Amino acid sequence: MMQKYLLLDRRVLNPQGMENVQLEVTPPKKDKEHGVLFSESEPWEIRIDNGYPNVIYDKKENIYRCYYTLFIEDKDSEGVSKEERERRDYQPREDRVPALAYAESEDGICWRKPKLHLVDFRGSKENNLIFPYAHGTGVMLDEREVEEEKRYKMVTKIDQPGHTAYMAVSFSKDGVHWKKPIRWKRFNPPADSHNLPFWDEEKKRYCLLSRVWKDGIRITTMSHSYDFLDWSEPIETLRGGGFERQIYAMPAFSYGNLYLGFASVIHEGDRKSPMFDRVDCELTWAVEPEHFDWVVAGQNFIERGEGTYPKGEADCGCIYASPPVLLENGDLLFYYMGGNGKHTNFRESSLMRAFIKKDRFASYQTINTEEEGILSTCKLEIQGEELEILAEPIKENEKSGLSVMIASNWNKEAFSGFSFEDCVIEEGEAGWKKVSFAQSLSQLSGKSVSARLRFYNMRVWAMKGAITLTGHRLWEGAGEEEYAIKR
């Protein structure tokens, strides 16, 4: 059975056996050709603000759906010209009215905002609003759901300024017409963030990533539910670093045997800093959704654009991402709301998108490019002949190299016939390199071994094959339940 391991997964590698290497996040490629897909174009789109986009491709209906939060009442934004916005600071008021809006597209590029006739805005229902007073809404398409009426699910904060604020869920058959929101049975976290629900296949439950305030800063939290109605108390799952690196929102999704998240990191604490009040998007990972960690803290995943308000690029100030759309070839399509100004100031927000190739979220590269890099795995059990490494040259026109050896441990001599010199690398599909040796790899079947990778001028992302990661680097007992690799 083929297993695949991204090397950003720290369980895979033994840091005692690593030399001259560092992990680098691979930013997705922005779709510069199409640029802004839609922005604040309607009278009720007074301020999209963070947007908290949820972009879903419905295969059954062959349509892209985008759900986004906005303010339909905001006295300090409405009617304010660009010239005035450039002269003074925005003053957010407590009486701003949030709402949930909807857009759709056949190709993911050309978007329309259909008139849904659901919500009255100043005497007319000719708009694309789904719910008023909905803040930080997260939407999921539940393909496992047997009840058609609950195929689409949402979690939102119902926020009527000066009156009430509570967590709620709703259900929909078609993704457009939704049931009346149902209030949470227990708990009422602040949740003024992207409240993103998803399915935890291992534990057969729904999870929700949200946010609270703790110790004076913003903290990402996780709740769970088995029926989507009764949610557990939020627990902390990730925090940043002081005022300067707070997590504003963190949508996430399941990818292979991991979860990957997109943390919108807001920078406060120093008004004179060029980073102040801007929001970057960083990559996080988890084995279980209760415990996320940074892939590389401080490295951006979706890069902000160039410039500053009001003349900078459309995403030069803030980035808030949606969980990605998986394309037929396995590549991923990321939609995000980009803002062109500081978080707590005037800005206009727009939907944009970027692409990344399958499995290429973060790669190991050499620190000193004049020397080779070494990666050593934790214990693997060999179960067959197949072994492949996902790696590509950094500089196409310069010499590059990759070789592998197999030993009983990272610091032991290679098995006979499995040294670096015995290794043969052949080109496979989509950047994967096929690894073989002078001896048949299946001769080591059932053995607990360590693979050692040696490379230069290469990005190394992942490995796969007839291999199973069997445990932590400090324990030799492969398969022991206490230390066995989960998922």
Side-chain angles (χ1 to χ4, degrees):
M1 180 178 178
M2 295 283 285
Q3 301 279 355
K4 179 171 63 181
Y5 299 100
L6 302 183
L7 297 186
L8 64 83
D9 182 348
R10 296 193 191 109
R11 300 171 301 168
V12 178
L13 298 176
N14 187 331
Q16 286 289 313
M18 295 166 60
E19 300 175 15
N20 189 36
V21 292
Q22 62 186 358
L23 188 62
E24 297 280 342
V25 169
T26 306
K29 182 180 180 181
K30 292 182 180 180
D31 185 357
K32 295 286 190 178
E33 178 184 354
H34 299 104
V36 169
L37 303 176
F38 70 75
S39 57
E40 300 164 358
S41 61
E42 304 296 339
W44 52 88
E45 292 180 316
I46 294 170
R47 181 180 170 103
I48 289 181
D49 201 68
N50 303 337
Y52 303 131
N54 307 261
V55 178
I56 296 168
Y57 181 66
D58 189 329
K59 296 179 182 179
K60 182 178 179 181
E61 301 296 332
N62 297 314
I63 194 167
Y64 290 84
R65 306 187 192 276
C66 177
Y67 306 87
Y68 60 103
T69 297
L70 74 166
F71 289 110
I72 58 175
E73 298 287 350
D74 181 6
K75 290 184 173 62
D76 204 52
S77 287
E78 187 170 11
V80 179
S81 68
K82 277 285 187 70
E83 291 73 21
E84 182 177 349
R85 292 182 178 208
E86 191 172 4
R87 287 196 308 269
R88 70 173 178 88
D89 288 340
Y90 171 63
Q91 300 295 324
R93 296 162 51 116
E94 293 184 357
D95 60 356
R96 298 184 299 177
V97 176
L100 177 65
Y102 170 78
E104 61 187 22
S105 171
E106 276 79 28
D107 60 4
I109 300 170
C110 299
W111 291 81
R112 60 178 175 270
K113 300 172 182 178
K115 294 178 173 60
L116 302 179
H117 303 97
L118 299 174
V119 176
D120 183 279
F121 176 77
R122 300 179 183 177
S124 173
K125 292 186 177 181
E126 298 281 312
N127 57 63
N128 66 326
L129 301 176
I130 290 179
F131 283 132
Y133 308 115
H135 184 79
T137 306
V139 179
M140 66 176 289
L141 174 56
D142 191 354
E143 301 284 13
R144 307 164 355 281
E145 179 59 68
V146 295
E147 295 183 47
E148 280 289 310
E149 300 296 322
K150 293 183 177 180
R151 188 165 172 258
Y152 281 87
K153 296 176 169 65
M154 79 162 60
V155 178
T156 192
K157 184 80 171 184
I158 300 298
D159 183 7
Q160 294 179 271
H163 295 281
T164 186
Y166 58 88
M167 296 295 290
V169 303
S170 183
F171 304 95
S172 172
K173 178 180 180 179
D174 60 7
V176 178
H177 301 89
W178 293 78
K179 302 294 185 181
K180 181 180 178 180
I182 303 169
R183 188 168 185 161
W184 273 23
K185 297 179 179 180
R186 303 176 293 158
F187 309 114
N188 189 24
D192 56 332
S193 178
H194 194 166
N195 297 288
L196 195 284
F198 58 92
W199 177 250
D200 179 353
E201 178 62 28
E202 182 182 2
K203 296 185 178 179
K204 308 298 181 185
R205 62 182 183 175
Y206 298 99
C207 293
L208 176 74
L209 287 169
S210 183
R211 195 196 73 204
V212 301
W213 290 80
K214 186 177 180 181
D215 304 329
I217 59 174
R218 300 170 176 91
I219 300 294
T220 299
T221 61
M222 198 280 285
S223 304
H224 68 266
S225 173
Y226 293 97
D227 60 4
F228 211 81
L229 295 170
D230 186 15
W231 291 87
S232 67
E233 184 175 10
I235 61 171
E236 179 179 333
T237 183
L238 182 65
R239 68 170 63 197
F243 294 131
E244 293 78 12
R245 296 189 70 252
Q246 301 174 67
I247 309 170
Y248 208 100
M250 193 182 71
F253 71 110
S254 176
Y255 191 84
N257 63 343
L258 300 174
Y259 292 98
L260 298 177
F262 313 110
S264 290
V265 179
I266 184 169
H267 308 286
E268 295 182 319
D270 181 4
R271 297 191 65 86
K272 292 186 177 181
S273 168
M275 298 289 286
F276 179 77
D277 210 27
R278 288 174 170 80
V279 180
D280 287 309
C281 180
E282 296 187 24
L283 186 63
T284 65
W285 73 288
V287 178
E288 297 177 337
E290 290 89 346
H291 305 289
F292 273 83
D293 198 358
W294 305 96
V295 173
V296 184
Q299 285 191 14
N300 294 337
F301 182 58
I302 301 176
E303 296 281 2
R304 281 189 292 114
E306 298 293 328
T308 58
Y309 189 84
K311 298 179 181 179
E313 293 184 306
D315 55 357
C316 68
C318 302
I319 300 284
Y320 290 90
S322 167
V325 174
L326 183 65
L327 302 177
E328 288 187 3
N329 65 357
D331 293 349
L332 295 102
L333 173 57
F334 292 90
Y335 286 89
Y336 65 97
M337 282 290 180
N340 63 353
K342 294 182 179 180
H343 174 266
T344 319
N345 215 322
F346 286 114
R347 57 184 157 118
E348 295 82 51
S349 295
S350 308
L351 186 72
M352 308 174 79
R353 69 179 193 169
F355 298 86
I356 198 167
K357 290 184 178 180
K358 182 180 181 181
D359 301 325
R360 290 164 172 82
F361 298 98
S363 67
Y364 275 94
Q365 303 171 33
T366 56
I367 299 170
N368 182 350
T369 57
E370 301 300 318
E371 299 179 3
E372 293 179 322
I374 297 290
L375 292 173
S376 297
T377 71
C378 293
K379 286 305 186 71
L380 306 171
E381 182 179 318
I382 302 296
Q383 298 172 330
E385 198 64 42
E386 300 84 7
L387 179 62
E388 298 184 40
I389 308 294
L390 180 58
E392 291 181 350
I394 297 173
K395 298 179 181 179
E396 292 287 348
N397 297 324
E398 296 186 11
K399 188 177 180 180
S400 60
L402 170 69
S403 58
V404 182
M405 62 94 87
I406 307 292
S408 61
N409 205 0
W410 71 271
N411 55 356
K412 302 296 185 182
E413 294 293 325
F415 292 114
S416 178
F418 296 94
S419 68
F420 287 125
E421 291 70 27
D422 296 315
C423 177
V424 177
I425 301 292
E426 297 179 295
E427 289 294 329
E429 296 181 357
W432 287 94
K433 315 297 183 187
K434 295 182 178 180
V435 181
S436 60
F437 297 92
Q439 300 293 325
S440 170
L441 193 60
S442 59
Q443 289 182 15
L444 302 178
S445 292
K447 288 191 175 183
S448 181
V449 305
S450 174
R452 202 172 192 200
L453 284 62
R454 186 173 67 184
F455 62 94
Y456 60 93
N457 187 27
M458 298 288 279
R459 296 183 179 93
V460 184
W461 282 286
M463 63 188 304
K464 68 179 180 180
I467 53 174
T468 299
L469 192 61
T470 56
H472 191 277
R473 60 190 170 108
L474 297 182
W475 287 276
E476 299 297 324
E480 292 179 9
E481 182 176 355
E482 184 176 2
Y483 303 119
I485 297 299
K486 295 182 178 181
R487 294 168 56 80

